[in-house]
Amino acid sequence: MAIKKGNAPKTIPAKLTIKGQGETNALNLTYRNLKSTEFKDFVESLQGKKDPFYPSVAVHIVAEWDTDYSLSIEGMQELEDERPGTLRAIIEGFHKSRQFALEKN
């Protein structure tokens, strides 16, 4: 299939494997497929605000997920409090899920 302008998927399903504190967890989630400029604009809009950075970004990029933490800033803060580094992994997973790569030709 040819690459068509404006035809990118609106969401991206992903499965993240997150390790720490002696446990390995799988987190199934769906990212919003934000354009790079949309992501950058959102991050810039957080500057000077009192909103917590990582929880705000994670809530903005995740459309849905399969965990009992609420998909809210408070839920993200609770997740990060119990499992530090998880939000950074979620944001890193977002960037990796959007990245194109050449397959063997």
Side-chain angles (χ1 to χ4, degrees):
M1 171 183 256
I3 297 175
K4 304 250 183 211
K5 181 178 173 182
N7 198 27
K10 301 294 181 211
T11 59
I12 304 168
K15 180 178 181 178
L16 306 180
T17 302
I18 301 173
K19 294 177 73 171
Q21 299 177 355
E23 65 180 12
T24 300
N25 291 295
L27 178 61
N28 293 304
L29 51 79
T30 303
Y31 290 113
R32 291 181 179 89
N33 190 11
L34 304 174
K35 294 178 182 178
S36 299
T37 53
E38 292 171 328
F39 181 82
K40 179 179 174 254
D41 290 346
F42 178 75
V43 168
E44 287 176 357
S45 78
L46 293 174
Q47 292 180 1
K49 290 188 177 179
K50 293 182 180 180
D51 297 332
F53 182 76
Y54 281 115
S56 297
V57 172
V59 166
H60 190 70
I61 62 175
V62 175
E64 57 186 53
W65 62 357
D66 71 348
T67 179
D68 58 357
Y69 292 97
S70 70
L71 187 51
S72 64
I73 290 177
E74 294 79 19
M76 295 290 185
Q77 288 175 312
E78 185 180 6
L79 173 60
E80 187 67 14
D81 188 41
E82 291 181 13
R83 292 175 170 87
T86 302
L87 297 186
R88 183 175 167 193
I90 289 170
I91 295 167
E92 183 179 337
F94 166 76
H95 291 295
K96 285 184 178 183
S97 73
R98 292 198 69 248
Q99 185 66 47
F100 277 75
L102 179 64
E103 287 191 358
K104 183 178 177 182
N105 291 330

